[in-house]
Amino acid sequence: MTVVHPNIALINQFFQAYAQGDQNAIAQILSKDIRWVIPGKHPLSGTKNGIEEVLHYFAQLSESAFQAEPIVLGVNDQFVIDCHHNWSNRSDGINFKGMSCLLWKIEGEKITEVYNFPGNQQYVDQFFTAAYSEPEY
């Protein structure tokens, strides 16, 4: 029998809920004071504070049918690092395909902080600017 570290189990729960678009399940595993840091210079970048802001961010990602598939996970008693493939499935042809790593901080069986490290920040900025900027008239 393989024993799974509880922090890995928590992150796997997150990815399962995310894949299903289950915002209620995601909210249950986030600390009420969650901080989610999205680097870059694009419309979705910045620090999301609290469950409501984080869930709003995920709702925005769902507009592009964003998916994530973990490749590798590392763990200790306070952190998980994951590297994953991520991609979008937009019908307008503006799509993304890349890799990211996330550093997850876990306290009291809840996710308290997440830091996103994209494989190519310039590519991320270009995609999100093209996909989420208001059209100019």
Side-chain angles (χ1 to χ4, degrees), residues 1 5 9 17 36 49 52 77 86 98 101-102 107 110 123 130 135:
M1 175 198 270
H5 192 285
W36 199 294
N49 293 296
E52 187 175 316
D77 289 335
N86 47 342
C101 292
L102 297 179
E107 295 176 344
K110 298 280 187 178
Y123 176 55

Side-chain angles (χ1 to χ4, degrees), residues 5-60:
H5 192 285
N7 290 346
I8 295 286
L10 186 66
I11 300 309
N12 285 337
Q13 263 186 286
F14 170 85
F15 276 113
Q16 182 178 23
Y18 180 81
Q20 295 171 352
D22 188 344
Q23 296 231 348
N24 289 329
I26 291 171
Q28 295 300 311
I29 60 178
L30 300 178
S31 163
K32 65 180 177 64
D33 299 319
I34 180 78
R35 289 183 66 243
W36 199 294
V37 179
I38 309 299
K41 295 179 180 181
H42 58 78
L44 302 188
S45 66
T47 300
K48 313 309 177 200
N49 293 296
I51 292 173
E52 187 175 316
E53 285 186 17
V54 171
L55 293 180
H56 178 70
Y57 168 68
F58 291 139
Q60 290 174 299

Side-chain angles (χ1 to χ4, degrees), residues 10-124:
L10 186 66
I11 300 309
N12 285 337
Q13 263 186 286
F14 170 85
F15 276 113
Q16 182 178 23
Y18 180 81
Q20 295 171 352
D22 188 344
Q23 296 231 348
N24 289 329
I26 291 171
Q28 295 300 311
I29 60 178
L30 300 178
S31 163
K32 65 180 177 64
D33 299 319
I34 180 78
R35 289 183 66 243
W36 199 294
V37 179
I38 309 299
K41 295 179 180 181
H42 58 78
L44 302 188
S45 66
T47 300
K48 313 309 177 200
N49 293 296
I51 292 173
E52 187 175 316
E53 285 186 17
V54 171
L55 293 180
H56 178 70
Y57 168 68
F58 291 139
Q60 290 174 299
L61 290 180
S62 72
E63 294 172 15
S64 293
F66 245 88
Q67 301 292 314
E69 178 183 40
I71 300 168
V72 64
L73 300 164
V75 66
N76 67 23
D77 289 335
Q78 191 176 14
F79 292 96
V80 170
I81 184 92
D82 93 83
C83 294
H84 59 269
H85 293 286
N86 47 342
W87 65 95
S88 66
N89 292 298
R90 294 174 59 93
S91 60
D92 62 7
I94 301 171
N95 277 300
F96 179 87
K97 184 176 181 180
M99 291 184 60
S100 293
C101 292
L102 297 179
L103 178 64
W104 309 76
K105 185 175 182 183
I106 299 167
E107 295 176 344
E109 300 177 7
K110 298 280 187 178
I111 299 166
T112 61
E113 292 180 52
V114 180
Y115 297 89
N116 188 313
F117 301 97
N120 182 334
Q121 186 65 61
Q122 183 178 10
Y123 176 55
V124 170

